[in-house]
Amino acid sequence: MFTSTAVAPASTALRNPRRRQRTGSEESVALRQQSKRLKRSGLTSETFEPPTNTLTNGYHQSHEASPEPNGFFLQNGADHTSLAIRHRGSKRSDRDRRANRHDGSVELTRNDIYTVTRLASTPVPLQEQQSLSTWQGAFTPSMGYAVATTHTQVFVWRYGHGSQSASTSKPTTVRLLQPNTSGNGPLPLGILIPSSPEPGLLIVMPVSGKVVHWESLSAAASVDVGRQKQQSTQGMVAGLSPGEHIVKITEAEPQGFLLTVDSGKVVHLTITDHQGRASISTQFLRSNDAPAGGIFGSIKNIFAGAGGLKDIAAVKVGDSAQRGSRECVITTTRGLIRIWNLDWNGSHSLRCEADAKSKLLGSLLDTGTFPRDDSNRSFKILDIAFLPAFVTGQEVTSSSSRSASRLLVLTTISSVETSRYNLHVLDIAGNTIDVPVVHSITCYTTPISSTSASKPELLVPAPGQTAYIIFDNSVVLASLEEIEESPDSQLRTEARRVPDPFQDVLDFRKEKDFHVAGCTADTLEKGQQGSSCSIMVCGYGVIRVGVAPMKQGLTSEDRTTITAETKLGQAVFYGAQQNLLDFSSRTELQFSTEDVQDAALRISRAIMDSSSKHLPAAGPNMEQQLQRRAIALADLIKHLRKYYQPLDSVTRWKLLWDAEKMAAARAVWRLYNAVSSNQAEQEKILLYELVESIHEDDKSENKEEEFETDAVRHWFVHDIWRLEMLVPWAIKALVMLHDESVEDDQPMSPACRARLISEACDIQLMALETAFDFRQTNAALYGFDNDLLVDGLLSHQYQRIPEIWTSTSLICGAVQELASYAQESLLEIDGGSSDEEGNVAPEPQLKKIAEDDARLVNITCKTYLERSRWLQAQEEASLQRQGRDLEQSLRALRRKMFNGLVQIGQYGAAIKLGEKYQDMEALAEVLEVEIQSSQDELSQIPPAADETQEIIAKIAICEGYVDKYFDKYGAAWADAFFARFIAQGRLSSLLVHGPKQRRYLTSFLRTHPECSSFSWVNEVSIEGDYSTAADDLGIAQKQAETVWAKKMQLSMTKLATMAAAGKQQRPCNEAKASVQSIDRSLEILAAQQELHENLHEVFQGHLNQTDTRTNVVMEQYGKRFVSAKPTLRNAMRQHIGKVVEEKVLEPEDLVDTISLMDEDGLEPDSDYAMGRFLTAIKLIRLSTFETGEIARKGLLERIIWRRCIIQDDWPKINRTEFKDDAEVEEETEATALFKTLREGFKIGFWDDNPALEPTALRAAGTTVDSLRTSSRYANASDGELSQLAHDLEIEDDILETCIEEGRLEQWWTGIVDAARMSARRHADRNGEERSQRDAAERDFMEQMRMNDRAAWAVGVRVDGKLDEEGDVMMGM
């Protein structure tokens, strides 16, 4: 059927060859229009751009060349036959351009640099993976057509580059004349030929070499097979060897093409003869001029390879400097480059041949991309593309250099695992090769798979600033712009801070078998800026990748490598499952964790305030917009966790909080939407009033100049990220509206007030409950353990996280305020209040408010608890203190709010909340209040009333709760329950409970020392534990405030201790020691009682007021000794006041009081005056000091001895001149020192406790440091101790006078001996008197026994008998 020569259509064979063919009306019109266009000038405003001195690829762009599709460049103004000039297509109207924005295309991704769009016109079978097993395609960008070939048919369609019809026109389907029904082998190759009004179609069968050409699509798509064949021109590629097949068609002329054979041959195919008639002819490109036809030529081609290069990497065609010819560049993978001149008549010639491998490798070595010692990597050229010839300044290159070619070469250095790709700018002039620039591809290192459906293609669309590298399932974008030299760029170059040029990679999804079926560089339309390319993707359709032009004012340095924010934004806003693109992170594009975190937070914020350009700022359906933003936030965290390193907890918390706010805002909006739809026109909506009332610093204002009038919608669009400012305003706006109505003398009706309260509750509840629920449900999504949160609250790990928005101080206060306000308002409204017209609030609404209030109380507890935990986890001590205080206040607040719930009828809710927070104190109080109120109510109604049984049942239920809680909560409940009884003063009631409660009662009392005054009763009466009872009484006596109570407690302690020893509950030696300690304490109390008895004689008869009686005592005993010592005087006054009130004094305070009293106020010869200092010293010895407090005891004893000495005028006593011994002895024996020594000798006290000599008493407590040695003054300030030391120093000065002037040191031994002798004489007198009394007692007893015997002897009947001593033993 096919021959190597041209075969004319069958219809022309029947006509006269000399007769001009006629065509139908439609064809004639088309030819006439075509003829007119052929005569028309090729240069118009749409095809010619005035030259501008711009930079392309870092060089001045040539003004002689303009870009043509597929990477070719056309010579502006050249008179050749390119259809890119002759057939411009119809001019697009402005309406068409506007309509193209809404042509049904889908935006797959977009950022500041590039946009990827799915075109809507792709035939459905090509979009579906299951419809067609495989296909390949090609574009004709000058006309906006695309062609796709399968084994059986061809699809042709407008792919969206041009008029609006691209999205609406149906594709044209062409049946192949000889389809490959088996579906095996290479696919047919198809290409469209520009013509008017529709393109022609050229089909090449790759294995057989058969060629079919139709001059129009309508002819190719004819339903009549016979007519389809008749309207075609057929031919054959001669010279193909067995096993060879054609792999690619490249347009080389409007009517000429280059066919690339897999063996390395290149065939020049033309579809017209020299006279423009349809005719197919082929010839192999070769370096000689041998004819292509004939058998000898064919044989030569077979054996000589027809000039084949075997490993062809690329065949590209561009403009030539010669008129009427094209330039063809063929390069091999090993670096051999041949440049051919193709003439319009089908002839060709080899212009130059050069091996560029060494130059290309050298450029890589110079840039460090290819190490010199790396021999394990292979170097290959993958593809080439034409770049515009450059000019130097304004001067055009000379004619001798017009044969120079500038190419962009794509190379790879590959290993088994990775490949490094590079773009080389290659200048070829004659046989000279230069590589001035190398662009390394750093964003893509994936090796080319041996199973790839297509080879990598390099496209450089006009204006040549960006290179597109099309891999089988990826697209790489690389900027070719070089940073312009400037002082700043030079400095940064030296500092190695120059940013990398922009690069990015677009991957197809791996889970689907997407791969590239064809691609082309798009032509620039009039007014279009930037560059783009169109790509056919098997199983998806046609996509367009467009790079935006450089924005005005920016330089190439500003367009640098893609950022983390850009990549994340693409994944978030375009990462839907139906998307072609895979936004997972590549290893080549790695960002630091800090950059990722910052980018994530910026994207999240842009979603929250709608500042992202990917989100609409307005829309008719706010719910849908909020849902879209919520989905974007969810996609953000999912993508981050799947493809990036783990984020720190702070970032994850911030992202979670944003998502919480969005979920909460959606709930609030639904509430507002429902209220708005049901609200009357005149009624105010609280949320609207709330938003209007928020301070301008806490919201973004409406832009009135842009006619923004809806403040609520504006807030939901721009201010959701400040939701924590909206929640507090619910109560503020409510109170403000109420106050305004009062001020305007138009108070709200109960119904209106109830409605607004209900709306305020809804706002706070919807916001915060939704937020806590969202946090609990989605914590795992954000990388937090499920066990970390309970009911939306963190159980721990509050350290180093920012303040939580759900528990700011404003929110905590506002929620609590609204809960309290609702309770108070319910009590007012439910109390029968109504407006002037008698209207009352609806009962269902009041019930709803009561139920909402219970939820508000719950939220209040949660916010307070969360804030207190966060504060206590901070490092600042002040914040920790605030947290502890807040926790304490929460306990009291809970009890108050729970009681408020009981008052508004939410008793059950209060019980549930108490159980939820395990607040035993609140539960105990709620139950006690409920039981008490029920009992009060029961006492006020007749026993036979109907409500009686109901109230009794309620009380039984409450008591049932009490018993249940003992089993459920154990000791925790028991402690709170018993503490409530104690607080109510019902201690005696605790002993009447059952065995279960008694078990907990004992444990409670034993762990609460403050109950020791009662707990000993439980130990004795219930437990029978006298030892523990003794311990409790010992604690109770320490808590006793009065002397009588302490004495009684000590006596009971002594009794219980002895009983414990008797019952062997305590060892005897331990009991003996305890009894001795108690006796010492009782002796100290006896000393205070003795002091009180002496003072009572002074203040008795005066008013029963402590101050009055204290003043009387001070007048008597505090005028001389402490008059000049203010500190000691004040201390003495306080102590005297306690003695007067019979309150217990500490032993040391009692010692001070006794020693500070004036000697003059006492009876000189009274026992108390004689022994008061001895009593003070005995108290010191009786006092129990802790181990290591010897200094405390010693200091106090020295001070007492000093005060004892300085009571008398020793210098006067020392002056003995003109005094006899009796007088001196009388003066000495009258001193306090002598009396103290004598009284001590009387009882033998000084035998074990020697008296202190005067010299040992010097400087006792006269300095702050000496006072600090006593633990008694451990908590006193330096100022207080300084004043005390001053008073003691006065005492010390008097002592020093007594020692020096009174010669007390010399007198000391004599005084001690005299006191001892006086005590001995006193003992002797007491001994004689005692002997006389004993003798009298013995005589009396003897006489009584004799009388008894005499009475027995004379027969006196006595009911008894005599004992051994003769006494009568009476019967009992």
Side-chain angles (χ1 to χ4, degrees):
M1 172 178 172
F2 294 126
T3 63
S4 59
T5 59
V7 178
S11 58
T12 58
L14 301 176
R15 299 193 187 103
N16 187 345
R18 295 183 180 180
R19 184 179 178 183
R20 181 173 63 87
Q21 292 181 340
R22 298 182 182 271
T23 60
S25 60
E26 293 181 359
E27 294 180 356
S28 65
V29 172
L31 289 177
R32 286 196 298 270
Q33 291 176 349
Q34 181 179 1
S35 176
K36 292 179 181 180
R37 289 192 176 94
L38 290 174
K39 294 178 182 179
R40 193 176 300 167
S41 172
L43 295 178
T44 68
S45 61
E46 291 186 274
T47 58
F48 178 74
E49 292 288 343
T52 57
N53 189 16
T54 60
L55 289 176
T56 303
N57 308 319
Y59 305 98
H60 291 276
Q61 182 176 340
S62 171
H63 307 307
E64 299 183 42
S66 62
E68 195 190 17
N70 302 318
F72 308 148
F73 284 81
L74 302 178
Q75 193 78 14
N76 284 338
D79 186 13
H80 53 75
T81 59
S82 173
L83 280 179
I85 293 178
R86 291 186 299 169
H87 303 290
R88 298 184 303 274
S90 60
K91 182 177 180 181
R92 295 175 61 197
S93 66
D94 291 340
R95 179 177 299 178
D96 291 336
R97 294 190 183 96
R98 289 194 298 269
N100 193 43
R101 300 175 186 174
H102 307 285
D103 58 359
S105 60
V106 178
E107 192 174 77
L108 302 183
T109 186
R110 174 167 55 94
N111 55 39
D112 292 337
I113 300 177
Y114 62 84
T115 302
V116 182
T117 307
R118 180 185 186 181
L119 304 183
S121 58
T122 308
V124 174
L126 302 181
Q127 299 180 26
E128 301 174 354
Q129 289 185 317
Q130 304 301 326
S131 298
L132 299 172
S133 58
T134 182
W135 55 275
Q136 63 182 3
F139 293 93
T140 304
S142 60
M143 298 191 69
Y145 276 89
V147 60
T149 59
T150 69
H151 285 289
T152 59
Q153 57 188 341
V154 179
F155 296 93
V156 180
W157 73 97
R158 292 291 297 269
Y159 67 93
H161 187 83
S163 67
Q164 184 182 2
S165 61
S167 61
T168 58
S169 61
K170 295 182 179 180
T172 300
T173 304
V174 179
R175 298 185 309 274
L176 293 179
L177 296 180
Q178 292 185 344
N180 181 1
T181 57
S182 66
N184 299 323
L187 288 167
L189 303 176
I191 193 170
L192 296 173
I193 304 168
S195 62
S196 181
E198 59 180 358
L201 175 63
L202 178 68
I203 300 296
V204 177
M205 306 302 292
V207 177
S208 63
K210 296 176 182 179
V211 181
V212 183
H213 168 232
W214 288 278
E215 292 184 344
S216 65
L217 286 178
S218 57
S222 176
V223 178
D224 187 352
V225 178
R227 183 172 178 81
Q228 182 187 22
K229 290 182 179 179
Q230 291 176 355
Q231 293 180 343
S232 65
T233 303
Q234 303 181 19
M236 175 75 73
V237 179
L240 291 179
S241 302
E244 291 182 335
H245 67 274
I246 301 167
V247 295
K248 188 176 182 180
I249 302 179
T250 304
E251 183 183 1
E253 188 70 17
Q255 304 297 322
F257 306 89
L258 292 179
L259 309 181
T260 304
V261 186
D262 61 346
S263 62
K265 300 175 185 178
V266 179
V267 180
H268 188 193
L269 180 147
T270 58
I271 58 175
T272 58
D273 57 15
H274 299 297
Q275 298 180 0
R277 293 175 298 183
S279 174
I280 296 177
S281 63
T282 61
Q283 56 179 330
F284 289 94
L285 295 185
R286 53 195 177 193
S287 56
N288 54 33
D289 295 325
I295 188 172
F296 297 104
S298 299
I299 295 174
K300 182 175 181 180
N301 288 341
I302 294 173
F303 291 100
L309 298 177
K310 296 183 180 179
D311 56 349
I312 292 178
V315 176
K316 292 296 175 71
V317 177
D319 288 332
S320 174
Q322 300 179 5
R323 182 178 179 181
S325 64
R326 301 289 294 273
E327 183 179 74
C328 172
V329 177
I330 303 175
T331 180
T332 65
T333 58
R334 292 170 295 180
L336 181 63
I337 297 178
R338 288 180 178 177
I339 301 179
W340 300 77
N341 285 331
L342 304 179
D343 194 68
W344 66 274
N345 58 9
S347 61
H348 56 269
S349 61
L350 181 65
R351 196 179 79 195
C352 67
E353 179 177 305
D355 191 350
K357 181 176 181 178
S358 59
K359 285 288 186 179
L360 295 173
L361 282 174
S363 65
L364 296 179
L365 292 172
D366 293 340
T367 59
T369 306
F370 184 50
R372 298 178 184 275
D373 57 350
D374 193 348
S375 59
N376 297 324
R377 294 177 178 266
S378 61
F379 172 83
K380 286 184 179 181
I381 292 179
L382 300 180
D383 200 8
I384 60 174
F386 280 94
L387 287 177
F390 63 93
V391 298
T392 304
Q394 299 295 330
E395 182 180 355
V396 182
T397 54
S398 61
S399 59
S400 62
S401 65
R402 290 198 176 190
S403 60
S405 298
R406 165 154 286 187
L407 305 175
L408 187 65
V409 183
L410 172 64
T411 67
T412 178
I413 301 175
S414 303
S415 64
V416 178
E417 298 180 353
T418 61
S419 296
R420 297 301 301 270
Y421 300 96
N422 298 277
L423 294 173
H424 308 253
V425 177
L426 187 68
D427 291 334
I428 302 178
N431 293 325
T432 302
I433 296 178
D434 184 30
V435 183
V437 179
V438 177
H439 301 275
S440 296
I441 303 301
T442 59
C443 65
Y444 188 85
T445 60
T446 304
I448 300 172
S449 175
S450 58
T451 60
S452 297
S454 60
K455 292 183 177 180
E457 276 204 61
L458 175 63
L459 304 177
V460 186
Q465 298 174 343
T466 305
Y468 298 72
I469 307 174
I470 315 300
F471 291 94
D472 186 46
N473 50 16
S474 299
V475 178
V476 175
L477 307 178
S479 174
L480 301 179
E481 297 177 301
E482 293 186 348
I483 298 176
E484 301 178 11
E485 293 188 2
S486 65
D488 181 62
S489 64
Q490 291 178 358
L491 291 174
R492 285 197 286 178
T493 300
E494 295 173 359
R496 298 184 179 181
R497 294 180 180 176
V498 178
D500 295 329
F502 160 73
Q503 291 183 8
D504 198 9
V505 57
L506 301 171
D507 288 315
F508 300 160
R509 289 187 180 273
K510 305 297 188 300
E511 62 271 18
K512 296 185 179 180
D513 187 21
F514 294 131
H515 62 271
V516 174
C519 59
T520 187
D522 295 331
T523 57
L524 282 174
E525 300 183 17
K526 182 179 180 182
Q528 180 183 352
Q529 295 179 339
S531 62
S532 65
C533 70
S534 298
I535 304 171
M536 292 185 187
V537 181
C538 280
Y540 192 77
V542 178
I543 65 171
R544 174 167 294 150
V545 183
V547 176
M550 187 74 68
K551 294 182 179 179
Q552 188 174 5
L554 300 181
T555 64
S556 57
E557 189 174 348
D558 299 318
R559 179 175 283 187
T560 56
T561 304
I562 209 76
T563 63
E565 184 175 0
T566 300
K567 298 303 290 183
L568 282 178
Q570 289 176 313
V572 170
F573 299 109
Y574 299 100
Q577 290 298 321
Q578 65 272 20
N579 202 326
L580 164 73
L581 303 178
D582 181 6
F583 296 104
S584 59
S585 177
R586 293 188 64 90
T587 56
E588 300 91 343
L589 288 175
Q590 292 296 320
F591 307 103
S592 66
T593 303
E594 291 76 13
D595 289 342
V596 173
Q597 292 176 165
D598 293 342
L601 293 176
R602 287 194 296 271
I603 292 174
S604 183
R605 176 63 177 275
I607 296 172
M608 296 298 291
D609 62 12
S610 298
S611 61
S612 172
K613 59 187 176 184
H614 304 293
L615 295 173
N621 192 314
M622 179 60 66
E623 170 62 22
Q624 292 180 359
Q625 188 197 53
L626 294 175
Q627 181 181 12
R628 180 176 178 181
R629 291 157 69 184
I631 292 173
L633 292 173
D635 290 342
L636 173 61
I637 188 61
K638 291 176 183 177
H639 186 78
L640 286 168
R641 295 202 63 202
K642 185 175 182 180
Y643 296 111
Y644 292 91
Q645 294 294 325
L647 308 178
D648 62 37
S649 60
V650 173
T651 302
R652 286 183 284 124
W653 274 120
K654 290 181 178 179
L655 295 175
L656 175 56
W657 293 338
D658 282 349
E660 291 171 8
K661 292 178 180 180
M662 186 60 66
R666 292 180 64 190
V668 175
W669 171 258
R670 287 193 289 267
L671 167 69
Y672 174 74
N673 210 25
V675 172
S676 300
S677 61
N678 298 324
Q679 206 76 354
E681 292 185 3
Q682 301 299 327
E683 292 180 341
K684 293 183 177 180
I685 300 177
L686 184 65
L687 184 61
Y688 179 84
E689 301 295 332
L690 185 157
V691 172
E692 288 286 351
S693 302
I694 294 177
H695 193 274
E696 59 184 8
D697 293 339
D698 297 327
K699 66 178 179 180
S700 57
E701 292 292 333
N702 287 354
K703 298 178 181 178
E704 296 181 358
E705 65 277 8
E706 297 181 8
F707 304 101
E708 291 183 347
T709 58
D710 192 335
V712 176
R713 288 180 181 268
H714 182 88
W715 188 93
F716 278 93
V717 171
H718 300 288
D719 293 314
I720 289 178
W721 63 278
R722 290 189 278 206
L723 182 62
E724 65 272 18
M725 302 307 300
L726 178 78
V727 174
W729 271 96
I731 179 62
K732 293 182 181 179
L734 177 62
V735 174
M736 179 185 65
L737 290 175
H738 181 267
D739 293 344
E740 287 179 354
S741 66
V742 174
E743 291 175 1
D744 296 340
D745 199 19
Q746 295 179 348
M748 292 182 182
S749 66
C752 178
R753 185 180 179 188
R755 178 180 59 80
L756 292 178
I757 293 174
S758 176
E759 291 183 20
C761 294
D762 287 339
I763 292 172
Q764 289 194 351
L765 290 172
M766 289 297 101
L768 295 176
E769 284 184 342
T770 304
F772 283 120
D773 292 344
F774 185 93
R775 185 183 304 166
Q776 182 68 46
T777 305
N778 295 276
L781 176 62
Y782 286 80
F784 299 108
D785 295 336
N786 289 327
D787 298 337
L788 188 62
L789 284 94
V790 178
D791 196 25
L793 292 183
L794 270 174
S795 58
H796 56 283
Q797 295 185 9
Y798 283 88
Q799 297 82 358
R800 294 182 297 278
I801 65 174
E803 183 181 26
I804 306 174
W805 76 273
T806 50
S807 57
T808 63
S809 58
L810 287 176
I811 284 184
C812 289
V815 178
Q816 184 269 325
E817 184 180 358
L818 180 57
S820 301
Y821 183 86
Q823 292 178 359
E824 296 170 0
S825 300
L826 276 176
L827 295 176
E828 293 177 10
I829 297 175
D830 197 35
S833 62
S834 61
D835 57 12
E836 295 179 354
E837 300 178 358
N839 296 323
V840 296
E843 187 63 29
Q845 195 162 51
L846 296 179
K847 183 178 179 182
K848 174 188 176 298
I849 295 175
E851 294 172 351
D852 288 346
D853 190 75
R855 295 162 61 191
L856 281 174
V857 171
N858 177 39
I859 293 296
T860 301
C861 296
K862 293 175 72 170
T863 56
Y864 268 72
L865 186 59
E866 183 177 69
R867 182 162 185 81
S868 66
R869 289 175 179 175
W870 179 80
L871 288 170
Q872 292 181 69
Q874 304 309 302
E875 295 181 354
E876 296 182 25
S878 60
L879 295 179
Q880 294 177 5
R881 185 171 57 255
Q882 291 179 26
R884 291 190 295 269
D885 294 343
L886 191 63
E887 185 177 11
Q888 292 294 331
S889 64
L890 174 60
R891 294 194 182 100
L893 182 61
R894 267 202 300 250
R895 293 195 296 271
K896 177 183 177 182
M897 291 191 299
F898 289 179
N899 287 331
L901 289 176
V902 174
Q903 293 177 9
I904 62 174
Q906 293 295 309
Y907 161 75
I911 291 293
K912 290 181 180 179
L913 288 175
E915 293 176 349
K916 176 180 179 179
Y917 294 101
Q918 296 188 8
D919 191 335
M920 302 298 106
E921 296 178 358
L923 274 175
E925 187 170 350
V926 167
L927 287 172
E928 192 270 337
V929 169
E930 183 67 12
I931 292 174
Q932 189 64 41
S933 62
S934 298
Q935 290 176 345
D936 294 342
E937 185 179 358
L938 187 63
S939 64
Q940 295 175 4
I941 61 176
D946 296 336
E947 297 87 354
T948 301
Q949 295 302 321
E950 182 180 348
I951 297 174
I952 293 175
K954 184 188 296 186
I955 295 174
I957 292 174
C958 293
E959 292 176 345
Y961 276 120
V962 172
D963 291 337
K964 183 181 73 172
Y965 290 158
F966 275 104
D967 295 331
K968 184 175 182 179
Y969 299 115
W973 165 250
D975 291 353
F977 181 71
F978 296 140
R980 184 68 184 171
F981 270 77
I982 294 173
Q984 296 293 324
R986 298 157 58 192
L987 290 174
S988 58
S989 302
L990 292 176
L991 299 178
V992 299
H993 290 292
K996 182 191 303 182
Q997 299 183 13
R998 289 176 185 173
R999 182 177 75 252
Y1000 289 108
L1001 176 61
T1002 299
S1003 176
F1004 169 78
L1005 294 175
R1006 287 178 178 178
T1007 55
H1008 288 75
E1010 66 274 10
C1011 301
S1012 57
S1013 60
F1014 168 79
S1015 60
W1016 70 271
V1017 178
N1018 178 73
E1019 296 294 343
V1020 172
S1021 61
I1022 303 300
E1023 304 295 335
D1025 189 343
Y1026 292 93
S1027 178
T1028 304
D1031 293 338
D1032 291 342
L1033 286 166
I1035 297 173
Q1037 62 88 16
K1038 294 180 181 179
Q1039 299 171 354
E1041 294 184 355
T1042 65
V1043 174
W1044 180 87
K1046 187 175 183 70
K1047 186 176 181 179
M1048 184 193 69
Q1049 297 286 2
L1050 284 171
S1051 300
M1052 295 294 294
T1053 304
K1054 182 177 179 179
L1055 184 62
T1057 302
M1058 297 172 66
K1063 290 184 174 291
Q1064 297 183 351
Q1065 295 177 356
R1066 178 171 294 189
C1068 291
N1069 56 348
E1070 182 180 338
K1072 182 178 181 180
S1074 298
V1075 170
Q1076 291 174 352
S1077 176
I1078 293 171
D1079 288 341
R1080 289 194 296 268
S1081 298
L1082 288 171
E1083 193 171 348
I1084 294 174
L1085 284 180
Q1088 181 171 342
Q1089 282 183 312
E1090 185 181 11
L1091 175 61
H1092 178 268
E1093 291 174 359
N1094 282 274
L1095 299 182
H1096 184 266
E1097 298 177 359
V1098 178
F1099 64 74
Q1100 68 178 349
H1102 292 82
L1103 292 175
N1104 189 17
Q1105 294 180 353
T1106 302
D1107 290 342
T1108 302
R1109 294 185 172 187
T1110 301
N1111 292 333
V1112 172
V1113 174
M1114 290 299 294
E1115 285 292 328
Q1116 180 77 13
Y1117 297 106
K1119 290 195 300 183
R1120 183 180 63 84
F1121 192 79
V1122 295
S1123 60
K1125 305 163 189 172
T1127 303
L1128 292 176
R1129 179 178 175 84
N1130 291 335
M1132 180 180 174
R1133 180 180 181 81
Q1134 293 177 5
H1135 301 157
I1136 290 294
K1138 287 188 175 182
V1139 173
V1140 169
E1141 292 180 327
E1142 296 189 82
K1143 291 184 177 179
V1144 178
L1145 274 179
E1146 291 295 328
E1148 291 167 292
D1149 295 338
L1150 179 59
V1151 167
D1152 271 343
T1153 304
I1154 294 173
S1155 64
L1156 291 174
M1157 294 170 62
D1158 292 341
E1159 188 78 13
D1160 302 339
L1162 299 171
E1163 291 293 333
D1165 296 329
S1166 65
D1167 292 339
Y1168 192 77
M1170 293 261 187
R1172 68 184 180 109
F1173 281 102
L1174 177 61
T1175 300
I1177 295 172
K1178 287 171 62 178
L1179 290 176
I1180 296 174
R1181 305 293 174 87
L1182 289 172
S1183 299
T1184 302
F1185 292 94
E1186 299 293 336
T1187 304
E1189 291 188 325
I1190 300 176
R1192 178 175 182 175
K1193 181 178 180 180
L1195 176 63
L1196 183 57
E1197 189 171 357
R1198 290 169 63 199
I1199 292 174
I1200 299 307
W1201 275 110
R1202 183 174 64 194
R1203 290 174 180 170
C1204 177
I1205 292 173
I1206 66 176
Q1207 289 292 322
D1208 301 287
D1209 190 356
W1210 286 99
K1212 179 181 179 181
I1213 297 173
N1214 181 57
R1215 293 193 291 271
T1216 58
E1217 61 271 20
F1218 309 112
K1219 296 179 183 178
D1220 56 13
D1221 288 344
E1223 186 178 356
V1224 174
E1225 286 181 358
E1226 183 181 357
E1227 290 181 351
T1228 303
E1229 291 176 357
T1231 61
L1233 175 61
F1234 184 87
K1235 295 175 183 178
T1236 301
L1237 290 172
R1238 183 182 60 190
E1239 295 301 317
F1241 283 125
K1242 287 180 180 180
I1243 61 176
F1245 185 77
W1246 309 123
D1247 297 341
D1248 298 326
N1249 305 280
L1252 300 181
E1253 297 183 6
T1255 54
L1257 311 179
R1258 284 174 168 159
T1262 57
T1263 63
V1264 173
D1265 293 338
S1266 64
L1267 290 173
R1268 288 289 186 195
T1269 61
S1270 173
S1271 59
R1272 181 184 184 187
Y1273 306 111
N1275 297 324
S1277 65
D1278 288 345
E1280 294 172 343
L1281 293 184
S1282 177
Q1283 296 174 5
L1284 177 60
H1286 178 267
D1287 290 356
L1288 295 177
E1289 190 176 4
I1290 296 175
E1291 294 181 358
D1292 195 67
D1293 292 341
I1294 299 173
L1295 173 66
E1296 195 65 31
T1297 302
C1298 293
I1299 294 174
E1300 292 181 0
E1301 299 180 11
R1303 297 171 59 239
L1304 189 58
E1305 188 175 359
Q1306 289 76 21
W1307 281 79
W1308 175 257
T1309 304
I1311 294 172
V1312 172
D1313 291 341
R1316 185 183 292 110
M1317 292 300 295
S1318 177
R1320 189 173 299 169
R1321 289 193 299 268
H1322 181 270
D1324 292 343
R1325 289 194 301 269
N1326 288 342
E1328 292 177 1
E1329 293 175 357
R1330 186 179 298 111
S1331 297
Q1332 293 175 0
R1333 287 196 303 268
D1334 291 343
E1337 289 177 1
R1338 285 194 300 270
D1339 292 343
F1340 176 77
M1341 294 304 296
E1342 182 65 23
Q1343 185 65 37
M1344 290 298 295
R1345 282 195 295 271
M1346 291 176 67
N1347 293 337
D1348 291 340
R1349 290 190 181 96
W1352 183 269
V1354 295
V1356 178
R1357 301 186 59 85
V1358 179
D1359 189 9
K1361 60 181 179 178
L1362 299 177
D1363 59 11
E1364 295 177 355
E1365 297 181 352
D1367 295 332
V1368 178
M1369 299 178 64
M1370 304 302 294
M1372 300 297 292

